[in-house]
Structures are given as C-alpha cells and as structure tokens.
Amino acid sequence: MIYQFSLIYRSVSYLTILTALVVMYGWLRGIELVQIIVQSWPSMKFNTALCFFLLGGVLLCTYYRNKLFKILLGGVLLFVASISFIENLTDLEVGLDVLLVPGLMSAGTALCFALMGLAHLVIYADSVEWRKMSQYLLHCVTVISFFAMIGFVYGISGEGKLMFISSMAIHTSALFFLSSIASSLIHPSLGFTALLIGKKPGNLLAKRMFPLMGSLILVLGYLVIKYWETGEISPETGLTLFGMSILIIALTFISMIAMELNRTDIKRSEAVRALRDSNANLEKTVAERTALLKDKMELLNATTSAARIGTWEVDLEAGKVTWSEMTREIHEVPIDFEPDLTTGINFFKEGAHRSRIEATVQECIATGKPYDVELMIVTATGEDRWIRAIGTPILRDDKVIRLRGTFQDIDVRKRAEIKISEESIFLQTLIDNIPINIYTKDLLSRKTMINRSELELMGLEDSSTVIGKTDHELFPKESADISRKEDVEVMKTGIPILSRETSMDLGENNKHWFLTSKIPIKNSEGNVTGLLGVSVDITERKENEEKLKNYAILESKSAEMEQFAYVASHDLREPVLTIKNYLNILFEDYGEKLGEGSKRYSNTILNALNRMELLIGGLLDYARLSRQKDLEQVDLNEAVKNVLESLDSLIVNSQATIKVSKLPKIKGYPTEIELLFQNLITNGIKFHHPDRLPVVEIERKKYGNGWIFSVRDNGIGIEPEYIEEVFVMFKRLHSRRLYEGTGIGLSHCRKIVELHNGKIWVESEPGIGSVFYFTIDINE
Ligand code: ADP
C-alpha cells in the first residue's frame, strides 16, 4: 500500500471502531442521538455497531497482515451478516437480532458487511482474479452506501428507498462508504480505483470529471426535488429539466472527453512523426556509422595483417586457448591447429625466453598486472622468430578468469635493433678505447659527447663534468678562441677541416700537439646541427721531430769537429815528425858533443814527441772511424783470432789466459770490429791485478734482433763513480807510470759500437774485475 493511503486506511479503521463503540455505548446507555443522528431516519442497530467493531478489527488485521485474526473476525462478521441478510429476506428467525440489544440490521447493511468480510478474506489472495474480485466487492459496497447517502441528501423517505438501503442509517452508510474506499486503496492498480488513481491521461480526466459531474448531478437532482416538493414546478417539468440538464452535462462531458482525446491524438501524431523522423535519422546515422566502422575494420585488418599482428585469448576456467589466423601464421601452424596454454608457452625458445614468459603469465594471473614482452619463439618449422606479446587480464570478483592480447611478428625489426645495438656497442667500445680524442659539439660548441682519450687528456674521469661545457670553460682562453673559430668555420660552411695541426696549452709546460679533423654533423634535412671532432695527439712525434732537428744540427757539428780533428791531426803529424827527425839527426851528428843536461832535455823532448805522435795517431784513427763505408760480412771468430795473433807477445809476456766462446757472424766494419776487440782485450790484460795472472773471457748472448757480447777480466776493476767516464776521450784513471796508455781506446770502442747501432757499458767491482758489454744490432 502506498504510504499516504496507509494513513487514510488506518484512520478509517480507527474511525470505524470508534464509531461502533460510541453507538454501542449509546444503545447501552439509551442515548438516542448516537443511534439515529437525524430524527425520523433509521437508527444504527446495536448489531450493526458490533459488526462495525468487527469490521474495524478486520481492517486492522488486513493492515498488519494478521491472517489468523482476520479469518476469525472476518468469519464471525460474514456469519452474522449472512444470517441477518437471510433473516431480512425470509421469515427465518435465528434470534441474533435480539441477542444483546434488540433490532435487526437492514438487508443492505447485512449485504454490505457480508461483501466487506468476503472482500477482506480474499484481499491478499495469490491469484490476481481473486484480488480483482475482492476489489469489485468493495466497489459494490461503495456504490450501495453512496446510494444510501444520496437518499438521505435527497430526503427520500424509507418507503421510497430501494429495498437494500431502506433502513440504512446515515452513519452506517458513511462508514461503509469510507471503509470500502479505504480498503480499495490496498490495491490501487485494480478496478475502478486504478481508473481514478492512475497517472495516464484517461485517469487524470476521470479524476477531474467524476467529482465535478457527480456533484453537479447531485446538486441538480436536489434542486429539482426541492422545487418539485414546494410545488413551484410540476413533476413532469422537473423530470424534463433534470433529464435535459443530465443531457447537457453528459454532452459537455462527452465533448470535453472528445476534445481531450483530440488533443492527445494531435500530440500523439506529433510524437509519432517526431519518432519517425528521429528513427529515420537514427537509421541514417546507424548506416553511416556502420559504413565507417566497416572502413575502420577493414583498415584495422589491413594494418594488423601488414604489421603482422594476431590476437589470442585464454579462458582460464574452461582451459581453452583461441588464436587468430595471423597468430597461427606467425607460429607457422596449420589453420585448424588447436593450442592450449602449455603448447602455447612451449613455442617460446627454451631457456631464458620460455622462463620469462612463464613467469610473466603467472604474475599476470596472480596480480592482474598486464604485460608487454619481446621474446623469441621457435615456429613449427623450427625457425627462430622474435615476437611481441601483449597480455591483458580480464577479472571477475578480483580473480583473473581470462587473458586476452596481441601477438606480433617483430623479427625483422628486432634483429635490426639487435644489430644496431651490437654495432653501437662496438662503436662505443672503439670510440672509448681508440687512442684518438673523439668528441661531438652542438652549434654553440658545447660538448655533447666525449671519449675516454679526450677525458684523459683533460685529466678527468667522469664525462658528465664536461658534457654541456664549451672549450672556454675547459681550456685556456687562447686555445679555446682558436678552437671556437675553427668550429664556427666548419659549422657555417659545412666544409670539414681535415688533419690540421693544432696545439693546445694545457698549463705549465704541458703543450699538446694534435692533428685535428672537424667534420660537420648534418640532420636529415641537410642542416648542420653540430660537429664531430677527431684529434690525434702528435705531441711525441712533434717532440721527436724537434729532437731529430737538434740531433741533425749536432750531427753536422760533430762531423765538422771530426773533419777538423782529422785535418788538425793529419797536419800536426808532419811538424812532429820533422822535429823528431831533426832531434835524431842532432843525436847522430852531435851526440858526443852534447852535455849531460842537453842530452836529458833532448830525451824528454823526444819522449814528449813520441807521445804526441801516439795521441795524434789515435785522434786521426778516431776521426777516420766516422767515415762512411759499406757494411761487410764479419765472422767474429776470425776477427778475434786475428786480434789474438797480433797481441801474441803481450799475451805471452803477461802470461794471460784468453777464453773465447763460439761467436756469430755479423754485418759490420771488419777493421773497426777487430780494433774494438783489440782495445778491450788489451785493457783486460793491461789493467790486471798485481796478485794474479790475467784471465780474459769473451762471450755472447742473443738479444732481440742482435747480440750482447761481453769481455770479462779479473783485473783491478773500476770505482763506481768512474763507470761512465772511462768512455770519454783522453780520460784515464791511472797514472801513465803505472799503466801505459792514451785514454783514447774506450772512446774508440764506443764510437765503433755506435757505428753498429749498438751500446757499450761496463759493470765492475774494484779489486775483482770488470765486464765490458756491447750490443751489435746489425747482424746477418
Ligand atoms: P788507455 O790508453 O789508458 O788504456 P783507455 O781509453 O783504453 O785508455 O782506458 C781509459 C781508462 O780506463 C784507463 O786509463 C783505465 O784507467 C781504465 N780502464 C780501461 N780498461 C780497464 C780495465 N779492463 N780494468 C780497469 N781499468 C780500465
């Protein structure tokens, strides 16, 4: 029941019970007013009041759904009403009317109670037919009570009334009217109630017209009767007037309905037209959209087939896997191939790829996280193929029930990517490890890339401290200015600078020389976006060049010196020999005439001249040594043998032992080589220890492309501080009285070794002996 009706219903129920109680009280106390209300009108009998009390109970039981009490009270009500009705119609006397307070209720009242009781007993029946019946029974009660009330309004006496309502009290009919209407509100959608309560245009019209028409007819009838009773109009005129009025009212009513219907019809037609229009529009739009969708679908199909994108779906509950045609094609399986989750996963390449997809799918099912992976499969024909698999989970109640996604053949792209990545790694490795400085700059000469060599040049380790900086922020202003000028030139003209010699001052005594190339970097439209710089550090070469230059100067100076020494010693020899000859002649001719003093002076002069001759000879030999000659094949065994033969008397006299290992053949200058060995062997014997006989050993050892030779003696040795000095010309460590010599021998040796691209040095222990080493690089 609708809420506002429930209020009316309960109010009517309580009013019924209250009225019944008041009337019963009136009967018991003999208060006539409450029994009759209007004089000469029938009274409400005590039984009627009792039945109203029961009816009130039934109404409340219906409201509160108390089935048991309803049946009980309704049953009693039905029973009392039926008996009273029968008593009214027949001569049967049961005696109910005289039970408490005498008075038989009218047939109409009994009928109404019976109808009310019956209606309430089936009001909630399951069958709609029963419920409808209940509603119509209530309507009957409403109509009967309404007529009874009209009778009172029109002042129709008891005799003139219909049999059913002949003796119904005014408050009885009012209570029936109210309670039947209130009860009919329980099912507002049924019967006549629905007509008045509904929201449709007909309902609204009925709701408006009924009270109006009803009250108009009532008022009209009342007036006609009144005028008739006063004799102002004859009954015929009254009846005619009443009939005419009813006719006019009916016509008005019909025309209003017709107008309302017409209005509704116009609105309906308009609505139908609008609907048709919008339908047509809708159809047009649908057709357009369908065509568009078809185009899009075709485009999508074309795209997916061109991009080789297939689709797939896994129903986890049914364990079913579905692949699109393209997915099958990518796997190279027949069109009727039916995959399942395991076979699908087994297509992934064993190892990292398969483990990855297994873990990814498991995670997706467990967490509902979508995935997008690039992995390799092995197709049915055994071909390795890169694919991209995208998976999206579909959840129900937070549980993944299906997976759906795409499967794309990305083999060509992926392999190209891998190749590019490998090549770029190779390139990066090369750039980082090549001993050439490589960098790139943007249009403002800011460094955008720098390799390790360039970093090392700056004495830095982390390239991030350099990226974005200009040369002015990194190098001294002078060098940076030059560099920027070159950059601008390259970037403006687009012409590279190739192998330009540049220098850079990196601080104190740290000047670097480079062979620099600057190549413009252009974008796809041919515009210069920066430059690539490649610099080879040629500082060492530059320094070597410098050294070579100095060396050449020295060479020429030393050649000049040697020339001078040669000329000087050659020219000096002549006068020395002349003086010596004259001294000899002087001795031969005047020897006996010379005094002792003169003889001594003359001898001293002669000795000095001899010594001078020796020195000049040595100097001349030294100068001669530098002269260019062709290299010859020299068998060192032969050379040493010749030397030993020439030194034979010295060896015998000094009782020296000379041990010689087997020596190689080399390319060299034979005379000089013999002189070298002769000097070293002679020194080995000459500077022998006074306590032991001299032993000289000659050995050789392989060294790189050439040899290391050693001449070892057991002589007096050399103090460490003189180790370097012994090779300097005319340098002697001992007095001539102790050891004869000119101090030229070892400087000869060094020059000879250097002529053969070798080195000479000595290791010695004073008192134990010395070892002279020399290398010869020119061999066979
Ligand atoms: P000299 O004509 O004096 O031998 P050298 O140039 O051959 O001139 O030798 C220079 C000096 O080196 C010698 O005077 C000697 O003091 C020292 N010296 C050379 N060879 C030996 C050696 N085997 N043992 C010790 N001292 C040596």
Side-chain angles (χ1 to χ4, degrees):
M1 195 191 285
I2 305 162
Y3 175 73
Q4 74 236 41
F5 296 162
S6 86
L7 196 70
I8 295 170
Y9 183 88
R10 271 181 296 149
S11 309
V12 170
S13 309
Y14 290 122
L15 182 71
T16 308
I17 293 171
L18 197 72
T19 311
L21 287 173
V22 170
V23 172
M24 283 193 288
Y25 180 76
W27 275 106
L28 293 175
R29 284 290 171 130
I31 305 166
E32 222 176 291
L33 181 70
V34 293
Q35 304 159 17
I36 300 173
I37 298 180
V38 180
Q39 209 66 41
S40 86
W41 284 0
S43 61
M44 188 194 281
K45 303 291 177 300
F46 185 85
N47 277 359
T48 308
L50 190 71
C51 284
F52 269 124
F53 183 75
L54 289 175
L55 179 63
V58 170
L59 290 181
L60 286 178
C61 286
T62 301
Y63 182 78
Y64 292 109
R65 303 272 180 143
N66 195 325
K67 210 170 170 186
L68 187 70
F69 271 94
K70 191 171 82 172
I71 291 171
L72 214 68
L73 295 176
V76 175
L77 181 67
L78 203 58
F79 175 74
V80 175
S82 307
I83 296 295
S84 301
F85 187 71
I86 293 164
E87 275 182 339
N88 254 307
L89 294 187
T90 59
D91 294 337
L92 188 79
E93 280 198 23
V94 182
L96 267 181
D97 50 331
V98 289
L99 213 59
L100 286 166
V101 177
L104 181 65
M105 66 174 81
S106 72
T109 307
L111 180 65
C112 284
F113 276 129
L115 293 177
M116 285 297 286
L118 204 62
H120 270 275
L121 283 177
V122 294
I123 204 158
Y124 280 133
D126 290 340
S127 148
V128 72
E129 297 305 320
W130 281 104
R131 290 206 297 276
K132 259 189 200 163
M133 192 199 83
S134 152
Q135 192 77 336
Y136 285 113
L137 290 178
L138 292 169
H139 291 339
C140 286
V141 175
T142 312
V143 171
I144 293 169
S145 56
F146 182 69
F147 274 111
M149 285 193 296
I150 285 178
F152 288 114
V153 174
Y154 286 180
I156 301 167
S157 62
E159 296 82 55
K161 287 182 197 165
L162 285 169
M163 178 202 62
F164 288 120
I165 52 170
S166 59
S167 58
M168 195 184 278
I170 177 77
H171 36 350
T172 305
S173 49
L175 278 185
F176 275 132
F177 186 74
L178 289 175
S179 61
S180 62
I181 286 180
S183 301
S184 73
L185 292 174
I186 287 175
H187 295 307
S189 59
L190 293 180
F192 193 67
T193 321
L195 187 67
L196 288 173
I197 284 179
K199 293 266 189 300
K200 291 182 183 141
N203 303 125
L204 295 177
L205 194 68
K207 206 186 288 178
R208 267 208 307 268
M209 298 308 285
F210 267 123
L212 189 73
M213 294 289 144
S215 40
L216 262 175
I217 291 169
L218 276 179
V219 170
L220 216 62
Y222 181 77
L223 287 175
V224 168
I225 289 169
K226 280 291 151 204
Y227 282 116
W228 187 12
E229 275 175 3
T230 53
E232 281 177 41
I233 51 166
S234 66
E236 293 81 14
T237 319
L239 204 64
T240 315
L241 276 175
F242 187 71
M244 288 284 283
S245 307
I246 297 288
L247 196 69
I248 291 165
I249 289 168
L251 279 175
T252 315
F253 184 61
I254 289 166
S255 8
M256 280 175 77
I257 291 175
M259 275 157 68
E260 189 70 36
L261 275 176
N262 283 346
R263 260 203 302 277
T264 319
D265 193 57
I266 289 166
K267 276 189 191 159
R268 192 183 55 84
S269 317
E270 279 172 2
V272 166
R273 208 177 309 122
L275 192 70
R276 207 176 294 137
D277 286 357
S278 89
N279 245 354
N281 270 342
L282 196 69
E283 270 170 27
K284 205 173 138 216
T285 316
V286 168
E288 279 171 8
R289 294 268 159 89
T290 313
L292 202 70
L293 202 66
K294 217 174 131 207
D295 281 359
K296 290 255 162 76
M297 280 301 287
E298 275 167 13
L299 192 70
L300 185 72
N301 280 342
T303 314
T304 50
S305 111
R308 292 185 59 78
I309 302 176
T311 56
W312 56 268
E313 190 168 328
V314 179
D315 186 334
L316 293 167
E317 285 175 336
K320 200 169 172 296
V321 176
T322 320
W323 280 1
S324 74
E325 209 174 299
M326 180 53 79
T327 306
R328 288 191 169 90
E329 197 182 311
I330 294 170
H331 284 85
E332 295 190 310
V333 290
I335 199 82
D336 55 353
F337 180 79
E338 288 295 338
D340 58 30
L341 198 54
T342 320
T343 49
I345 281 186
N346 283 346
F347 269 103
F348 284 84
K349 197 175 169 74
E350 211 177 339
H353 297 271
R354 199 178 293 167
S355 322
R356 171 93 192 279
I357 193 69
E358 279 168 351
T360 308
V361 170
Q362 265 171 24
E363 195 194 340
C364 177
I365 294 170
T367 63
K369 229 167 73 183
Y371 63 86
D372 182 347
V373 287
E374 291 185 357
L375 295 169
M376 197 183 262
I377 58 163
V378 181
T379 65
T381 62
E383 191 196 309
D384 285 355
R385 186 170 284 178
W386 278 97
I387 58 92
R388 179 182 178 186
I390 298 178
T392 315
I394 294 165
L395 295 101
R396 193 206 293 142
D397 303 331
D398 287 343
K399 192 176 162 236
V400 178
I401 53 157
R402 280 214 302 273
L403 299 177
R404 182 186 286 168
T406 56
F407 206 83
Q408 187 182 8
D409 180 352
I410 54 159
D411 199 58
V412 177
R413 197 247 300 159
K414 190 75 183 176
R415 283 184 197 277
E417 265 178 23
I418 292 171
K419 194 149 191 275
I420 289 170
S421 143
E422 281 171 1
E423 274 168 10
S424 84
I425 289 171
F426 171 74
L427 198 67
Q428 194 56 47
T429 316
L430 190 76
I431 286 173
D432 266 344
N433 293 292
I434 200 164
I436 293 175
N437 303 348
I438 300 174
Y439 53 84
T440 55
K441 287 177 178 177
D442 64 10
L443 288 173
L444 297 172
S445 287
R446 289 178 302 211
K447 290 247 165 55
T448 47
M449 188 277 287
I450 173 169
N451 77 339
R452 208 178 291 159
S453 281
E454 176 83 352
L455 261 185
E456 278 167 10
L457 173 78
M458 288 187 250
L460 297 170
E461 277 182 8
D462 185 5
S463 65
S464 64
T465 53
V466 178
I467 300 297
K469 289 194 175 155
T470 62
D471 287 344
H472 282 98
E473 293 167 275
L474 298 167
F475 303 112
K477 186 178 179 308
E478 207 178 311
S479 307
D481 280 346
I482 297 169
S483 178
R484 172 65 183 158
K485 215 172 136 208
E486 288 169 353
D487 293 355
V488 172
E489 180 192 326
V490 169
M491 292 192 281
K492 238 183 190 167
T493 61
I495 302 165
I497 290 176
L498 296 172
S499 302
R500 183 179 285 183
E501 214 169 80
T502 55
S503 67
M504 186 156 290
D505 215 334
L506 292 173
E508 288 161 27
N509 284 337
N510 192 10
K511 187 170 181 171
H512 277 255
W513 288 90
F514 301 99
L515 212 53
T516 300
S517 296
K518 289 186 177 177
I519 299 126
I521 300 173
K522 293 179 181 173
N523 63 13
S524 54
E525 283 143 25
N527 299 325
V528 177
T529 57
L531 64 83
L532 165 74
V534 180
S535 289
V536 183
D537 195 332
I538 52 163
T539 311
E540 207 178 316
R541 201 182 85 188
K542 263 286 191 200
E543 282 170 1
N544 284 343
E545 272 177 16
E546 204 64 27
K547 275 184 202 159
L548 271 176
K549 226 187 268 169
N550 292 339
Y551 182 73
I553 295 167
L554 275 175
E555 272 279 86
S556 89
K557 272 191 184 159
S558 119
E560 272 172 37
M561 278 301 295
E562 278 168 8
Q563 186 64 24
F564 171 74
Y566 178 74
V567 174
S569 50
H570 189 269
D571 291 356
L572 270 176
R573 224 178 182 186
E574 211 39 54
V576 169
L577 280 176
T578 312
I579 296 168
K580 223 177 120 182
N581 284 339
Y582 277 110
L583 264 180
N584 282 331
I585 292 168
L586 196 72
F587 273 123
E588 280 169 18
D589 294 353
Y590 304 101
E592 287 151 24
K593 291 175 194 161
L594 287 174
E596 273 309 303
S598 303
K599 269 187 188 170
R600 210 169 45 245
Y601 290 132
S602 299
N603 268 328
T604 311
I605 291 169
L606 201 61
N607 281 342
L609 283 174
N610 281 337
R611 182 159 172 71
M612 198 164 185
E613 197 186 354
L614 264 178
L615 286 175
I616 289 170
L619 203 58
L620 200 59
D621 286 345
Y622 184 84
R624 275 198 193 117
L625 276 178
S626 60
R627 318 205 110 196
Q628 293 296 312
K629 286 180 276 184
D630 285 337
L631 291 168
E632 286 173 35
Q633 176 105 313
V634 185
D635 184 348
L636 293 181
N637 300 301
E638 279 293 316
V640 172
K641 201 175 143 213
N642 292 342
V643 170
L644 292 180
E645 273 171 13
S646 69
L647 293 178
D648 189 47
S649 61
L650 176 68
I651 293 166
V652 172
N653 291 341
S654 61
Q655 293 181 280
T657 313
I658 313 293
K659 299 177 182 170
V660 186
S661 307
K662 191 171 162 31
L663 298 173
K665 284 179 187 166
I666 58 156
K667 274 227 160 148
Y669 305 110
T671 324
E672 281 77 5
I673 291 285
E674 282 187 16
L675 186 60
L676 171 66
F677 277 105
Q678 184 183 316
N679 280 339
L680 293 175
I681 295 167
T682 311
N683 281 353
I685 297 168
K686 190 162 71 176
F687 298 104
H688 70 90
H689 200 277
D691 300 341
R692 51 188 180 254
L693 291 173
V695 178
V696 177
E697 291 170 76
I698 300 168
E699 287 173 337
R700 54 102 184 94
K701 231 183 352 188
K702 196 95 180 96
Y703 162 73
N705 277 339
W707 301 91
I708 292 181
F709 299 94
S710 60
V711 180
R712 182 189 302 272
D713 64 52
N714 59 345
I716 53 172
I718 303 165
E719 294 295 328
E721 60 264 40
Y722 302 117
I723 283 289
E724 290 294 326
E725 288 185 24
V726 292
F727 297 102
V728 177
M729 191 178 276
F730 304 132
K731 184 77 190 176
R732 307 196 70 250
L733 305 180
H734 309 93
S735 82
R736 219 171 31 248
R737 256 171 281 135
L738 279 174
Y739 299 101
E740 268 290 321
T742 55
I744 285 180
L746 284 181
S747 40
H748 269 175
C749 290
R750 186 170 67 181
K751 192 158 184 189
I752 293 165
V753 168
E754 282 172 0
L755 276 178
H756 290 84
N757 295 329
K759 277 195 306 182
I760 185 163
W761 69 99
V762 61
E763 288 173 7
S764 180
E765 246 183 281
I768 303 285
S770 310
V771 191
F772 283 82
Y773 294 98
F774 61 91
T775 60
I776 299 278
D777 263 357
I778 306 159
N779 61 349
E780 259 186 338

